[in-house]
């Protein structure tokens, strides 16, 4: 009986070892495939670039992209050099000074920083809408579950600010699982939340409480979750001119005949304002490359070059929702990718 | 003096008495309520299962179908007269690579369907054409009509869930009989991709298979031997009590903890390859082992002592007692425990997150040390995708996972019955 089991086990072992023509080779010795870890916002773009990179030359190994979040990605990236650590970290923010120091301490001294584009979240309304102009603080007071720690009693926009139209607060937006929602909370709600000095001070004393006060969105029906589908939000807006919607900027651009952006802090969401970072709902996306790995793992330079060239307007990445960076930033990225210029960390925070 | 054997006289129960009647009614009602409660409990779970299966199959069956577009390739013109002979022999690979197949496919589609049609086909189409040319080099010398898979927007529009714009395109193409639906073999043979029309489950399925082989190869023997030792040989003292309690606790530890353990032990200390099914299998083996030990001990305990005594009595050595008598009798129980543990391992994603198996990997693993992903991970990754074409693929992947699970259970039941009848 024991014999039979072992025969069975070895049989299935042999079956599993059947060769796939597309399979990557064994991992004996040095690593042959590029390892990428980090931000879930950058993940879909990194995936698309990985695919294009592999399709560009069938001799290349498929890069492996992990979605661990920016912090987790940079932590692994900074753990040291060698085949156990990733070659590239994806980040939806700049690397922090402390992370850079950790990197240095662990021997990761040569880091190349490349901004691949911009992530934009816009607040929009139907073109038949009343033409809202809001500040971050007004959006926060209207949508937070507990603005500045007190229950939210506002029902109409005019309750928030008498100068605003006398219509009920109703905003369509993505659910909790969405990265767009996170970015909306981080970029717009938190900015509005910080306008109150007492709440801002809470960040130092009780960070959890601060996060809850600043990021939690009301659940009494004023904010209507619409699933992960930004297109649906756009459609609903054109049918309900008095409502607002939160969605990725690329959807607004695509549907400019039915929706228009709501100006925040007197800046309308348009390509220029987002690309230069003047619109509050915009954040730059980065990749960090370990220069010490460039000679060890084949294809890193080509992968980065592919990423940078795909970050232009109208490319496959912008179809996935990436916003191309302004020309001077792109030029800098091109140069950094071509020359592998390392950063010295002097201007990091 | 009364006779102790004579019962005190007692009137027969008056069943027609209204108070009695009410009592009887109450009893029957209680009986009915109990039966109804039981029935509803079963009905609820059957309903939940039915809803799960119906939605999965309803959503997922479309995932097994792909829409194809008919494209006419005037290959002699498109390749400016490349000869079939150049595609044979040693230089064939280089010859094919030197052709701009992507451009050729784009041009052919544009010629047939107009300038807006560049995005009709999946990014995979040029590679399919390459494979066809490799199989049949003579094709290059003639005009060929080829069915190629369409990109996701048109694919889901053809299946009736697309955007208005894509549905218009699909309707026009369908009216001209340029679209057809066929079984999606690609889904069973490919790996992850960015376009839902190109994705496949084979990479994840193979990853799961390799991972489970490692898990079984480690957890089963270690678990069974631990159970045998603890039941048959170990003295009963404080130390073995402590071990027993620890094993029971280990079986209840949340799986993410095992992921952290795997990260530290296998990746950091032993420097094993990250994301590999080897590390995944070892980590899941740590998680599965306690379940097998507990089930194994219970099964061994259930073997009657008379069997052991009889075997010892006719001169069997302790090892013969264990392997000839106790183990075959206990094996059905051990296998049941093993299959529960393995099923749990098959459905686990949390520990795999820590060791890097939650990743975009676009080729199937070639061996135990290659980067791999697993079925539940793939389902999780696809369910997170924004693109609507992934909805049906997610459900289709769940169907595959359920079939895999059923297959595993069927194997266990077969083995259990086989060993049960042998003795």
């Amino acid at each position: 009986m024991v014999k039979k089991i072992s025969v069975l086990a070895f049989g299935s072992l042999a079956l599993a070892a059947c060769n796939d023509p597309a399979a990557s080779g064994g991992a004996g010795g040095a690593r042959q495939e590029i390892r990428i870890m980090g931000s879930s916002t950058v993940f879909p773009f990194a995936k698309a670039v990985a695919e294009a990179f592999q399709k560009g030359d069938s001799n290349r190994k498929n890069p492996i992209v992990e979605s661990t979040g920016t912090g987790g990605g940079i932590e692994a990236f900074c753990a040291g050099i060698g085949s156990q650590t990733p070659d590239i970290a994806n980040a939806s923010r700049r690397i922090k000074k402390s992370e850079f120091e950790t990197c240095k301490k662990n021997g990761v001294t040569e880091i190349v920083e490349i901004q691949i584009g911009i992530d934009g979240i816009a607040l929009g309304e139907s073109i038949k809408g009343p033409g809202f102009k809001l500040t971050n603080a007004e959006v926060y007071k209207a949508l937070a579950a507990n603005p500045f720690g007190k229950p939210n009693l506002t029902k109409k926009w005019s309750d928030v600010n008498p100068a605003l139209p006398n219509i009920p607060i109703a905003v369509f937006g993505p659910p909790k699982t969405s990265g767009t929602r996170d970015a909306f909370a981080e970029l717009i709600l938190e900015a509005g939340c910080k306008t109150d000095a007492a709440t801002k001070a809470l960040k130092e004393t009780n960070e959890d409480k601060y996060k809850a006060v600043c990021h939690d969105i009301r659940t009494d029906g004023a904010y209507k979750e619409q699933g992960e589908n930004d297109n649906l939000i756009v459609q609903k807006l054109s049918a309900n001119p008095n409502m607002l919607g939160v969605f990725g900027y690329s959807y607004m651009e695509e549907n400019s005949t039915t929706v228009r952006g709501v100006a925040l802090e007197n800046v309308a969401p348009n390509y220029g304002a987002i690309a230069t970072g003047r619109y509050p709902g915009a954040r730059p996306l980065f990749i960090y490359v370990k220069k010490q790995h460039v000679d060890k793992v084949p294809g890193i330079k080509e992968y980065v070059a592919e990423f940078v060239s795909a970050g232009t307007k109208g490319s496959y990445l912008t179809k996935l929702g990436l916003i191309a960076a302004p020309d001077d930033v792109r030029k800098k990225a091109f140069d950094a990718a071509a020359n592998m210029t390392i950063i010295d960390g002097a201007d990091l925070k | 003096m009364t006779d102790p054997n004579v019962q005190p006289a007692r009137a027969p129960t008056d069943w027609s008495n209204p108070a009695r009647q009410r009592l009887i009614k109450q009893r029957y009602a209680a009986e009915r309520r109990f039966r109804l409660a039981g029935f509803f409990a079963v009905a609820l779970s059957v309903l939940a299962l039915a809803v799960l299966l119906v939605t999965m199959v309803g959503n997922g069956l479309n995932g097994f179908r792909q829409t194809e577009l008919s494209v006419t390739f005037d290959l002699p013109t498109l390749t400016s007269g490349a000869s079939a002979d150049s595609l044979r022999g040693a230089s064939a690979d280089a010859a094919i690579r030197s052709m701009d197949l992507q451009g050729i496919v784009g041009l052919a589609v544009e010629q047939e369907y107009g300038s807006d049609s560049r995005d009709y086909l999946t990014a995979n189409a040029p590679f399919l054409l390459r494979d066809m040319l490799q199989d049949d080099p003579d094709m290059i010398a003639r005009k060929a009509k080829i069915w190629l898979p369409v990109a996701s927007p048109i694919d889901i529009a053809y299946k009736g869930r697309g955007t208005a714009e894509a549905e218009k395109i699909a309707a026009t193409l369908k009216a001209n009989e340029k679209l057809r639906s066929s079984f999606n073999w690609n889904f069973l043979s490919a790996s992850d991709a960015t376009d839902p029309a190109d994705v496949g489950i084979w990479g994840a399925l193979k990853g799961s298979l390799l991972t489970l082989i490692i898990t079984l190869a480690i957890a089963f023997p270690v678990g069974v031997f631990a159970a045998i030792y603890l039941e048959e040989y170990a003295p009963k003292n404080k130390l073995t009590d402590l071990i027993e309690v620890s094993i029971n606790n280990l079986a209840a530890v949340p799986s993410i903890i095992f992921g952290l353990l795997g990260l530290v032990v296998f990746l950091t200390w032993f420097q094993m390859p990250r994301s590999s099914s080897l590390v995944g299998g070892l980590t899941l083996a740590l998680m599965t082992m306690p379940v097998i030990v507990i089930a194994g001990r219970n099964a061994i305990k259930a073997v009657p002592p008379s069997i052991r005594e009889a075997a010892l009595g006719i001169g069997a050595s302790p090892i013969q007692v264990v392997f000839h008598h106790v183990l075959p009798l206990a094996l059905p129980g051990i296998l049941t425990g093993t299959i529960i543990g393995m099923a749990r391992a098959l459905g686990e994603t949390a520990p795999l997150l820590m060791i890097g198996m939650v990743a975009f990997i676009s080729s199937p693993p070639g061996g135990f040390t290659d980067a791999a992903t697993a079925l539940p991970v793939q389902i999780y990754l696809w369910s997170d995708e924004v693109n609507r074409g992934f909805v049906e693929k997610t459900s289709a992947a769940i169907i595959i996972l359920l079939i895999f699970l059923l297959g595993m259970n069927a194997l266990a039941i077969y083995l259990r019955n086989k060993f049960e009848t042998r003795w």
Side-chain angles (χ1 to χ4, degrees), chain B residues 224-236 240 244 293-303 308 322 326:
Chain B
V224 170
F225 280 115
I228 291 173
Y229 180 80
L230 284 174
E231 274 308 311
E232 300 285 325
Y233 297 100
K236 295 269 170 270
T240 48
E244 187 175 345
V293 175
I294 292 170
R297 290 189 63 180
N298 288 334
I300 291 169
K301 231 182 258 172
V303 175
R308 294 186 186 83
V322 166
V326 176

Side-chain angles (χ1 to χ4, degrees), chain A:
Chain A
M1 163 210 58
V2 175
K3 237 180 236 164
K4 272 190 188 157
I5 290 179
S6 52
V7 165
L8 201 85
F10 280 107
S12 49
L13 224 129
L15 173 99
C18 65
N19 254 337
D20 266 303
S24 46
R31 184 150 55 72
Q32 290 298 305
E33 78 280 349
I34 304 174
R35 288 278 182 157
I36 303 149
M37 279 171 84
S39 164
S40 54
T41 313
V42 185
F43 182 63
F45 308 131
K47 259 169 55 174
V49 173
E51 203 169 77
F53 166 80
Q54 206 276 329
K55 296 222 154 131
D57 181 349
S58 56
N59 292 330
R60 288 172 180 166
K61 294 266 186 282
N62 287 300
I64 289 160
V65 190
E66 281 182 55
S67 166
T68 57
T70 303
I74 291 184
E75 194 186 322
F77 179 82
C78 287
I81 53 170
S83 64
Q84 287 289 321
T85 57
D87 310 310
I88 296 174
N90 296 332
S92 56
R93 55 166 171 78
R94 280 197 87 183
I95 188 170
K96 290 180 191 156
K97 184 97 186 161
S98 58
E99 289 167 337
F100 184 77
E101 295 300 331
T102 318
C103 256
K104 248 174 140 175
K105 208 175 74 209
N106 292 332
V108 187
T109 48
E110 299 181 3
I111 301 172
V112 183
E113 178 186 75
I114 293 161
Q115 184 180 339
I116 50 147
I118 294 165
D119 181 27
I121 297 103
L123 205 57
E125 65 174 358
S126 158
I127 44 170
K128 289 171 274 172
F132 271 103
K133 268 190 167 48
L134 299 169
T135 64
N136 290 334
E138 282 164 359
V139 175
Y140 173 69
K141 282 182 206 156
L143 290 182
N146 300 299
F148 309 127
K150 294 181 277 291
N152 197 340
L153 300 172
T154 54
K155 293 244 177 330
K156 294 175 170 175
W157 285 104
S158 52
D159 297 343
V160 177
N161 179 351
L164 289 171
N166 183 19
I167 50 177
I169 298 171
V171 177
F172 292 119
K176 279 205 179 81
T177 47
S178 161
T180 312
R181 161 93 164 248
D182 291 344
F184 174 67
E186 268 166 42
L187 296 171
I188 297 174
L189 293 182
E190 196 174 327
C193 177
K194 272 193 203 155
T195 54
D196 181 56
T199 315
K200 198 178 172 190
L202 200 62
K203 186 172 188 180
E204 309 303 323
T205 50
N206 188 345
E207 193 155 356
D208 288 343
K209 177 110 189 282
Y210 170 80
K211 254 197 133 164
V213 167
C214 287
H215 287 197
D216 284 0
I217 294 180
R218 63 198 292 183
T219 50
D220 57 0
Y223 181 88
K224 300 172 202 309
E225 292 189 357
Q226 290 299 326
E228 299 262 6
N229 194 333
D230 288 15
N231 275 319
L232 191 67
I233 298 177
V234 171
Q235 281 167 25
K236 292 227 161 170
L237 281 187
S238 54
N240 301 287
N242 280 342
M243 299 188 174
L244 299 183
V246 178
F247 40 83
Y249 171 70
S250 50
Y251 291 88
M252 174 122 75
E253 208 179 19
E254 269 175 41
N255 298 286
S256 53
T257 53
T258 52
V259 292
R260 67 164 165 245
V262 169
L264 281 178
E265 310 280 339
N266 279 324
V267 183
N270 54 40
Y271 178 76
I274 288 182
T276 50
R278 278 185 296 126
Y279 187 73
R283 57 176 173 179
L285 301 176
F286 296 94
I287 58 174
Y288 289 93
V289 185
K290 210 176 274 179
K291 194 184 176 188
Q292 286 136 307
H293 279 190
V294 169
D295 307 331
K296 309 252 167 38
V297 181
I300 293 183
K301 250 186 141 160
E302 289 78 4
Y303 174 85
V304 174
E306 172 72 40
F307 216 140
V308 173
S309 62
T312 51
K313 222 176 166 181
S315 72
Y316 58 93
L317 289 188
T318 50
K319 273 185 207 147
L320 290 173
L322 186 79
I323 294 165
D327 287 345
D328 55 326
V329 175
R330 281 231 329 279
K331 167 123 195 1
K332 221 177 116 196
F334 261 110
D335 291 346
N339 307 328
M340 287 282 146
T341 8
I342 59 171
I343 51 170
D344 57 6
D347 58 340
L348 292 174
K349 273 181 249 155

Side-chain angles (χ1 to χ4, degrees), chain B residues 110-362:
Chain B
E110 230 170 86
Q111 279 171 0
E112 200 169 348
Y113 298 102
S115 56
D116 294 338
S117 60
R118 280 226 151 204
D119 295 333
Y120 280 11
L121 295 179
T122 70
N124 212 13
F127 299 93
L128 292 170
L129 182 65
R130 182 191 68 195
D131 294 346
M132 285 178 205
L133 281 174
Q134 275 168 345
D135 289 347
D136 177 19
D138 292 325
M139 201 171 83
I140 203 146
R142 62 169 189 260
K143 235 178 171 170
K145 190 177 144 191
I146 301 173
W147 291 94
L148 288 169
V150 296
S152 178
I154 299 181
D155 184 45
I156 55 173
Y158 185 76
K159 291 165 181 168
R161 294 177 192 220
T163 58
E165 198 184 331
E167 281 194 358
K168 220 154 81 200
I169 297 172
T172 320
L173 291 172
K174 197 177 169 185
N176 295 332
E177 297 194 338
K178 296 292 186 191
L179 285 182
R180 72 168 186 196
S181 189
S182 67
F183 186 77
N184 192 352
W185 288 107
N186 184 59
F187 185 70
L188 297 182
S189 60
S191 295
D192 205 357
T194 45
D195 186 341
D198 285 338
V199 298
I201 197 70
W202 173 237
L205 187 66
K206 193 173 178 189
S208 266
L209 201 64
L210 293 175
T211 308
L212 285 184
I213 287 170
I214 296 279
T215 306
L216 188 67
I218 304 287
F220 186 72
V222 174
V224 170
F225 280 115
I228 291 173
Y229 180 80
L230 284 174
E231 274 308 311
E232 300 285 325
Y233 297 100
K236 295 269 170 270
N237 57 27
K238 283 248 166 65
L239 186 67
T240 48
D241 282 351
L242 189 72
I243 291 175
E244 187 175 345
V245 171
S246 308
I247 288 175
N248 289 343
N249 280 333
L250 215 53
V253 166
S255 53
I256 186 89
I257 310 286
F258 288 102
L260 284 165
L261 187 71
L263 174 70
V264 173
V265 174
F266 301 124
L267 292 184
T268 311
W269 292 354
F270 294 151
Q271 297 278 307
M272 287 178 177
R274 195 179 159 84
S275 314
S276 65
S277 42
L278 174 68
V279 175
L282 287 171
T283 308
L284 292 178
L286 291 178
M287 197 187 81
T288 313
M289 213 171 62
V291 179
I292 299 182
V293 175
I294 292 170
R297 290 189 63 180
N298 288 334
I300 291 169
K301 231 182 258 172
V303 175
S306 55
I307 303 271
R308 294 186 186 83
E309 280 154 19
L312 284 171
I314 56 169
S317 70
I319 192 168
Q320 283 172 333
V321 172
V322 166
F323 280 99
H324 293 178
H325 303 281
V326 176
L327 206 50
L329 267 183
L331 204 63
I334 298 177
L335 282 177
T336 309
T338 308
I339 207 68
I340 291 171
M342 294 300 285
R344 192 179 154 206
L346 174 67
E348 205 54 77
T349 53
L352 304 183
L353 183 74
M354 305 307 300
I355 53 171
M357 285 180 80
V358 180
F360 172 74
I361 297 167
S362 52

Side-chain angles (χ1 to χ4, degrees), chain B residues 7-74:
Chain B
Q7 297 278 326
R10 198 165 147 254
T13 314
D14 178 12
W15 292 107
S16 56
N17 179 343
R20 280 277 160 209
Q21 283 290 328
R22 210 171 50 243
L23 217 62
I24 291 168
K25 259 196 196 124
Q26 274 174 5
R27 284 179 62 145
Y28 284 156
E31 196 69 25
R32 271 199 304 276
R33 278 199 300 277
F34 181 68
R35 268 179 54 182
L36 269 178
F39 175 78
F40 275 118
V42 173
L44 203 67
S45 36
V46 168
L47 192 73
L49 186 68
V51 167
L52 174 83
L53 284 181
V54 167
T55 43
M56 282 314 141
V57 171
N59 281 334
L61 278 186
N62 269 335
F64 290 104
R65 302 203 66 78
Q66 78 182 352
T67 314
E68 290 178 320
L69 178 72
S70 145
V71 184
T72 312
F73 285 90
D74 184 5

